[in-house]
Every structure is written in structure tokens, then in C-alpha cells.
Amino acid sequence: MPKAVWNGIVIAESDDTVVVESNHYFPRSALRDDVVRESGTHTVCPWKGTASYYTLEHEGTRSDDAVWYYPEPKPDAAMVRDRVAFWKDVQVVA
């Protein structure tokens, strides 16, 4: 079962991931709410739409914008709706 590991802790785990462009998109419900903080960062992907981000924070450690998601993905990217993906210092272990 794929897991997202950050700072030595599992922050998401699910056997229902979707792989897009080599990134595992986990259901949003699989992400631990106690480690995420809203971020004001947004980026635009030409085919997926506008991405929003979460910052991770736990026991004094922080990783800015390490989680992204598409609140309103474009039609061709509907498979990532209500899902999150990770980068920076988050490791996804399948």
C-alpha cells in the first residue's frame, strides 16, 4: 500500500492512489489533517488547472508547500479531483 512519509512519520496511506506524471495522488481523506496548514501558494498547469498547496508542520519541523492539489481540475485531469500529491522532502513508498 503506498505511503507518504515525511520527517519519519506516515502522513498519508492508501491503496487507492492515481499515478499522473509519475506522482501518486492520494485521496485527500488519506492525508493526516494534524500536519497540514493552508498555504497561499498557487501554480498553474496547462492541462490540470490551478494547483493549491499545503505546508506540512509537525513538532517544530516545517516543509513549505510540500503538498499540492487541484480544487477545480480541468476536465482532462478529473482523476486528480479530491486528491493530493507530494514533493520536496516527502517520500512516497509503494
Side-chain angles (χ1 to χ4, degrees):
M1 176 178 313
K3 299 176 185 178
V5 180
W6 172 70
N7 201 29
I9 60 171
V10 175
I11 59 169
E13 183 174 15
S14 178
D15 58 3
D16 176 26
T17 63
V18 174
V19 179
V20 178
E21 297 177 329
S22 301
N23 294 300
H24 280 267
Y25 282 79
F26 288 73
R28 172 59 183 90
S29 60
L31 178 61
R32 286 179 47 176
D33 286 327
D34 64 318
V35 297
V36 294
R37 309 289 176 263
E38 292 287 338
S39 168
T41 301
H42 300 282
T43 57
V44 177
C45 171
W47 75 274
K48 289 188 293 270
T50 300
S52 295
Y53 290 79
Y54 292 121
T55 289
L56 295 171
E57 198 170 87
H58 184 258
E59 295 182 351
T61 303
R62 183 179 168 100
S63 184
D64 292 329
D65 302 333
V67 184
W68 79 87
Y69 63 99
Y70 292 89
E72 297 294 330
K74 291 184 176 183
D76 287 346
M79 75 290 285
V80 301
R81 181 179 298 279
D82 300 323
R83 294 181 176 273
V84 296
F86 306 93
W87 69 313
K88 294 193 174 184
D89 50 356
V90 178
Q91 292 182 312
V92 174
V93 182

